[in-house]
Amino acid sequence: MKSTRKPAALILVGALTTGALAACSGGGDPEGESTNASGQVTLSVVSLLPGSTEEAVAAFEEQVAEFEEANPDIDVVPEEYEWKATTFAAQLAGGTLPDVFEIPFTDAQGLVENGQLADMDAQFRALPYAEQFNPTILEAGTGEDGHVYAIPAKNAYPVALHYNRALFESAGLDPDQPPTTWEQVREYAKKIADANPGVAGWATMTQNNTGGWQLTAQTVARGGRTVEVDGEQKATATLDDAGTKETLQFLHDLRWSDNSMGANFLLDWGSINQEFAAGQVGMFTSGSDIYTSLVQTNAVDPDTYGLAPIPLSDAPEAATLTGGTLAGVPAGVDDAVKDAAIRWIDFFYLDKLVDEERAVADAETLAANDQPVGTPVLPMFSQEQYELNQEWIADYVNVPLDQMTAFTDAMFDLPLAGEPSQKTQEVYALLDPVVQAVLTDEDADIDALLADADAQAQAMLDQG
């Protein structure tokens, strides 16, 4: 996937992570007892979603074994966990997260301000490629003191349109020509639903803060915003702007006029993936990187998968919402755990992006276990480094890139926008019930619902 185009600016203030996180065994020992009976540092790390396939588990275990062979002084303890905005804070406060956990860009600043993340600056600066990061990505995990607390762990992603090619064909649609406008999305959704009784031609997330996330994504795609921040960092709630109202009316019409959205209106990141992989959803929006999880956890049929950019309106500010994942370590862990953590972060997440030998070894392990290699994402460093990395692993790429060309041909030219930089998850939580109301009450008053949510959001923003 070579491109000669200039990379788009990465406006990555934050985003709800599309990948679920893994973990739950208590973070490092604040008293310094981080070694086991063999004198090794015991390091608990996020692994995979519960219910991941045997092949995915085998690939992860091989990676752990490779790391431990190269680092005999570290005993890695993988733990499964699914990140949810509604439970994460309690788990972190309760000490039930692992020593290395993942967080969305949107959460890092609040955790730094609350003193809940370990200062990883010294460990981060020791990485040989520390100065190569896209500065906007690095900023997401950097505190006001200039220290790095959370380290970019995965390439960034834009929100994209995911669609089922088999359902397209069943409805007489060309799977190589995905919709490029919201009007086409509505038209295609109805055709899919009419041709496949019980199937949602279009579906959207509605709970655990994901309803607000995707409502915001579609608002931004129509040129709107849910929070505006001025040059003095004063935040103004704009939940009731025209883009949000237009999105909710769009959902209302698909649900009540077209009967194109099926019968399940309580979906979040994990459950909509499951419904999609099972052939019960024709189209939905989420991060561009979810193909990996669809394979690892939901056993999606690769032949049915298609990926395209989220449709953008003609509004001047229309853009694609972006996001990404950071790796964090709980505050209070000792230096031995922090040093072990940076070695794992380097090995598992980052070195494979900048080192050819490591990139090939990682891709070979994944491909040998039938795990996705080459899922499209935005570059963490530069477009040039990303394309070089793709050349290194070309022999192992096994994702259906020919079914993703609508996205990959456009990915470096997309106008990008970050998520709300203040009270992000809280704003999303306020919008969840608005989306649910529109999908469950035909007479829902969109203006009133948004006015109420906007007032609540402004009160939260004013509290700082």
Side-chain angles (χ1 to χ4, degrees), residues 180-194:
T180 59
T181 67
W182 291 108
E183 291 78 10
Q184 287 181 329
V185 167
R186 182 177 177 182
E187 174 190 345
Y188 289 15
K190 181 166 176 53
K191 287 183 177 180
I192 291 170
D194 288 347

Side-chain angles (χ1 to χ4, degrees), residues 79 125 133 193 231 249 325 352 406 421 435:
E79 301 187 26
R125 302 296 175 189
F133 280 92
Q249 188 62 52
T325 300
K352 63 186 178 184
S421 59
V435 180

Side-chain angles (χ1 to χ4, degrees), residues 343-389:
R343 286 154 68 182
W344 171 256
I345 292 168
D346 174 44
F347 169 86
F348 185 69
Y349 296 107
L350 298 174
D351 196 31
K352 63 186 178 184
L353 303 178
V354 296
D355 180 81
E356 181 175 4
E357 183 177 354
R358 178 75 197 107
V360 171
D362 182 75
E364 186 175 20
T365 297
L366 292 172
N369 289 279
D370 297 322
Q371 296 307 290
V373 178
T375 300
V377 288
L378 294 174
M380 187 178 294
F381 298 105
S382 67
Q383 181 178 345
E384 292 74 19
Q385 182 61 44
Y386 177 85
E387 291 175 344
L388 180 60
N389 177 269

Side-chain angles (χ1 to χ4, degrees), residues 42 75 114 144 349 369 376 408:
T42 301
D75 177 28
N114 294 335
E144 291 186 0
Y349 296 107
N369 289 279
T408 57

Side-chain angles (χ1 to χ4, degrees), residues 245-260:
K245 291 180 181 180
E246 185 178 342
T247 300
L248 290 170
Q249 188 62 52
F250 169 81
L251 295 175
H252 177 277
D253 293 344
L254 264 69
R255 164 69 172 99
W256 298 105
S257 299
D258 302 347
N259 194 27
S260 299

